[in-house]
Amino acid sequence: MDHSPPPRRKAVVIGGGPVGCLAALYLSKSDWDVELYELRPDPRAPGNSAFDSKSINLALAERGYNSIKVIDEELLNEIIKETVPMVGRCIHPGKGNFKGKGGGESQKYDVHGRHNWATDRARLNIMLLDWIEKKANVKLFFGHGLKGLDLDKKEANFEDRNTKELKTIHADFFIGSDGAHSTTRRFLQRYILMDYEQIYIDTLWKELEIPPDENGDFKIDGNHLHIWPRKDFMFIAIPSTDKSFTCTLFMPQRYFDQLGTSPSSILAFFTTHFPDVITLIGKDKLIADYTTNSAPSPLISIKCSPYHYLDRCVIIGDAAHAMVPFYGQGMNAGFEDVRVLFEFINDKFPGDLAAALEGYSRQRKEDAHTINDLAMRNYVEMRDSVTSRTYKLRKGVEETLYDYFPRLGVRTLYSMVSFSNLRYSEVVERVRWQNGVLNRVGLALAFGVGYALVKAVSVFRRARGRAAEQAAEGAARGVFGAVGLGVRKWWSLLW
């Protein structure tokens, strides 16, 4: 009788960004032999400082935090050391109120003090690569582009970009995490009837930088995401561990075209719309960075489904649901993809990979499409609504109810997206429900005020024979008591 152990399963991860690295880590801890293939050179090699020539800084939120924690808490602790906590947004409305580090209006993310962590994408990627490379069952291959994927034969063809050699790799399972322009997704479409939607929004982005001050410290508050909202466009600044800010100008293409690249037009534009930014960056650096940094880049949103083929292949992260960056959930949703995927593989359908991928694909579609839509909507909030009184009032009411009446379950949409692990689709359902609650609260208050007015008239009539001050005192007591009674009566009717 043959007592030799069964052959180990082999998985290939295509794409070595943060999401692909986390998928490799989950696979390695689930007893798979793992090979990770990345098109670009190793970012840790001399001369390759980063995968990307430019990248919007990332915000690690609860979903991403939790997805790392459940697989490797030691890794999470190392990552957090390389981040900057952000407690909220700091809004710069452009009313000439800039006052150095105290400038702007702070809008805390959460009434209970929870925060996100600003992180540099390149540094995070390098940390993850270093971590998974230590695993005995993980091998890394850089400069290898996917040229073919035969899922029925369970084989992939990769080209070594240095030698031009074509390699055929056999594996039991392929995970595509190769970004918005995924080659894996393109090959997967040959095997399944995939619904696919791609949208480029009419907004481009350009990266700039606010350097540290002369003492090597932040020039403005280092624990906020800073936003300069200007209705049709906006400028943001995210803190970095070196005390600089990675900045991004988001603007429709027509404005970039009108602006051009002449120093005089650049200074005129920033003087008109972002005068304090000139002070923070410096005139010479602003002109130099604007004219030499990469040209404005497009923003893409992608939805597709399903994400898998039998037990052979699945796509995750931007390959499955690229989104615009305005909710700070792109990486977090990708990390959550990995956690949810392995809940299906290891917990819900152990030993049945086909059923696990089917269940994952069906459930995750609803959540991925939801966060894509929320990210689109949040651009309007960031560039415009954050300065409106209506937005501030509603946010204040929701936070007050959450703080003082937690049993009602009312929370801000942002809080549920960024500081919970609720499914994105469930978050939207809860928001619909709590909108009904808030409408009931408004009706209750309106009824209470009306009831109080009627009660006040009655009090004044009864007080005709009394002294004026006695009447006023009784009326005041009646009004305030009636408001509470009216609210309670109407509330009981509504519930």
Side-chain angles (χ1 to χ4, degrees), residues 35-273:
E35 292 183 0
L36 183 148
Y37 291 83
E38 168 56 47
L39 175 65
R40 294 161 292 187
D42 189 340
R44 302 166 296 175
N48 298 330
S49 60
F51 270 175
D52 300 311
S53 59
K54 57 191 175 60
S55 175
I56 300 171
N57 261 24
L58 303 173
L60 180 67
E62 167 59 26
R63 296 172 193 275
Y65 181 98
N66 184 54
S67 298
I68 301 171
K69 181 179 180 180
V70 298
I71 194 66
D72 199 320
E73 192 164 359
E74 183 182 357
L75 168 61
L76 175 64
N77 292 334
E78 292 301 312
I79 289 173
I80 293 300
K81 292 177 184 177
E82 301 284 337
T83 65
V84 179
M86 295 188 297
V87 299
R89 300 165 171 166
C90 187
I91 309 302
H92 300 263
K95 298 178 180 178
N97 65 340
F98 178 66
K99 301 174 184 176
K101 288 191 178 181
E105 172 194 334
S106 176
Q107 295 182 1
K108 295 296 177 64
Y109 284 137
D110 183 71
V111 292
H112 297 297
R114 289 172 291 194
H115 59 268
N116 295 326
W117 296 266
T119 181
D120 177 80
R121 185 189 193 280
R123 178 59 187 151
L124 174 63
N125 210 156
I126 288 172
M127 292 182 70
L128 289 167
L129 287 168
D130 286 342
W131 200 266
I132 62 175
E133 194 172 42
K134 298 174 186 177
K135 306 299 179 183
N137 58 340
V138 176
K139 296 179 181 179
L140 307 180
F141 299 88
F142 296 95
H144 282 70
L146 180 65
K147 295 299 181 181
L149 185 60
D150 190 327
L151 295 176
D152 290 328
K153 292 182 179 179
K154 295 186 177 182
E155 65 180 34
N157 294 318
F158 291 95
E159 181 186 57
D160 186 322
R161 301 184 76 184
N162 293 321
T163 66
K164 305 303 179 184
E165 176 188 0
L166 196 64
K167 302 176 182 179
T168 299
I169 307 298
H170 295 271
D172 301 292
F173 184 29
F174 297 89
I175 296 181
S177 58
D178 46 345
H181 303 287
S182 169
T183 305
T184 310
R185 184 182 64 234
R186 178 163 56 84
F187 285 119
L188 180 60
Q189 287 173 313
R190 300 179 181 181
Y191 292 87
I192 60 176
L193 298 175
M194 178 186 285
D195 293 327
Y196 180 80
E197 175 187 281
Q198 173 179 300
I199 298 173
Y200 282 99
I201 68 171
D202 183 28
T203 295
L204 306 179
W205 63 280
K206 187 174 183 65
E207 187 171 290
L208 297 167
E209 180 195 49
I210 296 174
D213 65 17
E214 61 275 8
N215 298 315
D217 200 1
F218 288 114
K219 286 187 176 179
I220 48 179
D221 191 295
N223 295 118
H224 282 79
L225 162 66
H226 292 264
I227 305 175
W228 287 258
R230 298 297 183 266
K231 293 190 180 298
D232 290 337
F233 50 88
M234 69 177 180
F235 188 88
I236 70 169
I238 302 177
S240 299
T241 53
D242 65 356
K243 308 298 183 178
S244 67
F245 283 85
T246 299
C247 306
T248 311
L249 175 60
F250 293 100
M251 196 161 63
Q253 182 169 352
R254 66 184 184 276
Y255 289 105
F256 278 112
D257 293 342
Q258 293 168 7
L259 174 55
T261 57
S262 71
S264 60
S265 64
I266 293 169
L267 285 178
F269 174 82
F270 277 86
T271 299
T272 300
H273 301 289

Side-chain angles (χ1 to χ4, degrees), residues 4-23:
S4 60
R8 289 175 60 88
R9 300 170 297 173
K10 178 180 176 180
V12 166
V13 177
I14 303 161
V19 174
C21 289
L22 189 64

Side-chain angles (χ1 to χ4, degrees), residues 256-311:
F256 278 112
D257 293 342
Q258 293 168 7
L259 174 55
T261 57
S262 71
S264 60
S265 64
I266 293 169
L267 285 178
F269 174 82
F270 277 86
T271 299
T272 300
H273 301 289
F274 309 109
D276 45 346
V277 170
I278 298 178
T279 304
L280 293 169
I281 297 179
K283 288 183 180 180
D284 293 340
K285 179 175 173 58
L286 173 61
I287 293 170
D289 288 355
Y290 194 95
T291 54
T292 59
N293 286 0
S294 299
S297 301
L299 293 170
I300 192 172
S301 177
I302 291 174
K303 295 178 183 178
C304 67
S305 69
Y307 303 136
H308 77 290
Y309 173 65
L310 301 178
D311 61 348

